[in-house]
Amino acid sequence: MGVVTQGRSPGPKQDRSRATRKRLLEAAVSCLAEHGWAGSTVSVVAERAGVSRGAAQHHFPTREDLFTAAVEYVAEERSAALRALPDQDRASVVAALVDLYTGPLFRAALQLWVAASNEEQLRPRVTELEARVGRETHRIAVGLLHADENRPGVRETVQGLLDMARGLGLANVLTDDTARRRRVVEQWAAMIEEALGSGTR
């Protein structure tokens, strides 16, 4: 008799598990952005993702696990999209970086920040996550802008751009700030070009 194998490859099951996890993460981000922390429960997310509450808790045992993982997931997706941007002029890079802070990810992250300010068990996890995401975004921005951080003031200039983008994202939460934001982005792009100079491109 031949050697008995362990049966079929677990590949399809693992694929289904990854797909379920992804649906839960995307549903969690949408819920946070639309309903805030108070209106975003594991049950609401599970229903939106089309899975049972038990299945949701299998992947994410606690509410905090689910929502911190969700914001981290989309942040990583957005970072990947930024890394994939082609080499282009700095004005386009500035606009792309601002877009990072005016979409559903930022709305979801903002809700998580507010919740973390009141939830002791959530605060350290969100603080660590935001620090990590912030460092990665800054690193990507430096590369996209061809900025030389060995030059005095360049690091602060890039960080100022990201802080400005975050501020525009906050302004956009209550009202559609597209028209004003476009003018501000154009001015910042000109300032960035002047501050970084042609020698770094």
Side-chain angles (χ1 to χ4, degrees), residues 38-70:
S40 299
T41 65
V42 174
S43 295
V44 168
V45 171
E47 181 178 356
R48 185 168 189 145
V51 305
S52 69
R53 180 185 171 89
Q57 290 183 311
H58 170 73
H59 288 277
F60 304 101
T62 70
R63 186 185 186 199
E64 291 77 15
D65 289 334
L66 172 60
F67 287 105
T68 52

Side-chain angles (χ1 to χ4, degrees), residues 25 28 32 37 40-42 53 56-57 59-72 112 115-116 118-126 129:
L25 293 174
L32 266 182
W37 175 257
S40 299
T41 65
V42 174
R53 180 185 171 89
Q57 290 183 311
H59 288 277
F60 304 101
T62 70
R63 186 185 186 199
E64 291 77 15
D65 289 334
L66 172 60
F67 287 105
T68 52
V71 174
E72 182 173 21
L112 200 62
N118 298 311
E119 300 281 342
E120 195 66 38
Q121 61 195 40
L122 190 59
R123 189 179 306 145
R125 301 178 68 170
V126 174
L129 168 63

